[in-house]
Amino acid sequence: MSEPQHVRESGTGTPLVLLHAFPLSSRMWERQLAVLPGPDGTAARVLAPDLRGFGAAPQGGEEPSLDVLADDVARLLDRSGVGRAVVGGLSMGGYVALAFARRHGDRLAGLLLADTKADPDTGEARANRERIARAVLARDSVRLLVDEQLPQPQLSATTVRERPEVVDRVRALMSEAAPAAVAWAQRAMAARPGSRDVLPAVSVPALVVVGEEDAITPVGDARAMAGALPDAELRIVPGAGHLTPLEAPDAFDDAVRALLARVTAADRP
Ligand code: MLT
């Protein structure tokens, strides 16, 4: 099985894996890579891989499954000499983080779930994913997906009104996605099981972050996850939609710093 070939990394300290949204890449975490290690670079070791087919990562030959991506993350930790890490992801990245918790729970030092949900797709959502997968492959272009997703439902009305540069940035990031990666990821997400059963077994500190205006994985999904996790903080970020770290980076980064502090306190003998 091939491994993700590309990971952005910065800092030393508590390992923090950040898994990107669909159909973006590790580039969405540029700000967190710069800021979360702190002024002297020792507050966190941030590892942001490109998930299969996105960014600089090869697609590989496996059938679509988020378990494949979760196992890629475990191999990334092995390769990086990391035993346990805070593993976090946004939306699709959050689904992968939940698959990681199911399959590699002993390697979690903390869990970060941003703008994501533990429930599986409805039949209608699965059919829509297959429609998009076929369309982008047939047209050899992701334009249809970008036009359907931006500026809404991805971004909040507040972002669209007050931060047009964020709309442009997300459009550029989405447009870089390869049609084959989009189709593979849509099919992998359609096939994912529900993860509600995983949450009560996560005994490490957890953070659930959601944009107050998230129209894709709304606040109710975040509340349900936070309520099922034994040790979770819920942060609802005003003015943000589905892409909180890009739309409200200060609030997002503050929430992650608080999680890292809780992880450090929990690991202290
Ligand atoms: C994402 O942002 O990763 C997507 O909205 C996830 C999904 O399509 O369910």
Side-chain angles (χ1 to χ4, degrees):
M1 198 181 270
S2 62
E3 298 179 22
Q5 298 288 302
H6 187 257
V7 54
R8 291 172 201 268
E9 177 168 354
S10 73
T12 60
T14 305
L16 168 66
V17 178
L18 293 176
L19 303 171
H20 63 80
F22 167 87
L24 307 181
S25 71
S26 61
R27 287 221 296 136
M28 71 166 278
W29 299 116
E30 277 166 354
R31 144 95 184 211
Q32 284 70 36
L33 283 154
V35 164
L36 290 176
D40 68 357
T42 60
R45 179 181 176 190
V46 184
L47 297 154
D50 286 325
L51 299 173
R52 281 172 184 246
F54 295 97
Q59 187 65 66
E62 281 74 27
E63 289 298 310
S65 165
L66 297 183
D67 290 347
V68 171
L69 303 182
D71 293 351
D72 284 343
V73 174
R75 274 189 296 276
L76 166 64
L77 296 186
D78 294 343
R79 213 171 54 229
S80 306
V82 172
R84 291 164 69 240
V86 179
V87 175
L90 188 133
S91 200
M92 177 178 76
Y95 307 156
V96 177
L98 287 166
F100 183 91
R102 183 190 291 283
R103 294 169 74 81
H104 306 282
D106 57 331
R107 304 195 69 172
L108 278 182
L111 181 64
L112 160 59
L113 298 171
D115 300 288
T116 192
K117 63 182 176 189
D119 290 332
D121 279 358
T122 60
E124 191 186 345
R126 275 197 292 273
N128 190 47
R129 292 193 193 281
E130 187 56 29
R131 174 186 67 82
I132 291 169
R134 286 173 192 236
V136 297
L137 289 176
R139 296 171 195 200
D140 195 25
S141 164
V142 299
R143 178 73 191 270
L144 162 134
L145 175 67
V146 176
D147 288 346
E148 284 187 12
Q149 290 289 313
L150 285 178
Q152 285 164 329
Q154 288 281 337
L155 302 171
S156 69
T158 309
T159 295
V160 175
R161 195 173 55 245
E162 296 175 10
R163 297 180 290 266
E165 70 285 359
V166 175
V167 183
D168 293 344
R169 170 132 196 262
V170 174
R171 189 180 303 282
L173 287 172
M174 276 194 182
S175 301
E176 288 170 5
V182 165
W184 192 95
Q186 286 286 34
R187 289 170 175 154
M189 287 190 281
R192 76 187 192 283
S195 296
R196 278 190 187 223
D197 60 315
V198 174
L199 300 172
V202 175
S203 56
V204 293
L207 167 67
V208 181
V209 190
V210 64
E212 192 172 27
E213 299 176 49
D214 187 338
I216 296 178
T217 47
V219 170
D221 290 325
R223 278 195 205 286
M225 291 190 296
L229 286 158
D231 181 13
E233 185 194 1
L234 172 65
R235 293 255 184 136
I236 300 170
V237 179
H242 186 57
L243 297 178
T244 305
L246 295 164
E247 299 182 66
D250 289 341
F252 181 85
D253 297 346
D254 280 353
V256 177
R257 281 191 203 96
L259 172 64
L260 291 170
R262 286 166 58 218
V263 168
T264 304
D267 278 351
R268 213 169 275 140

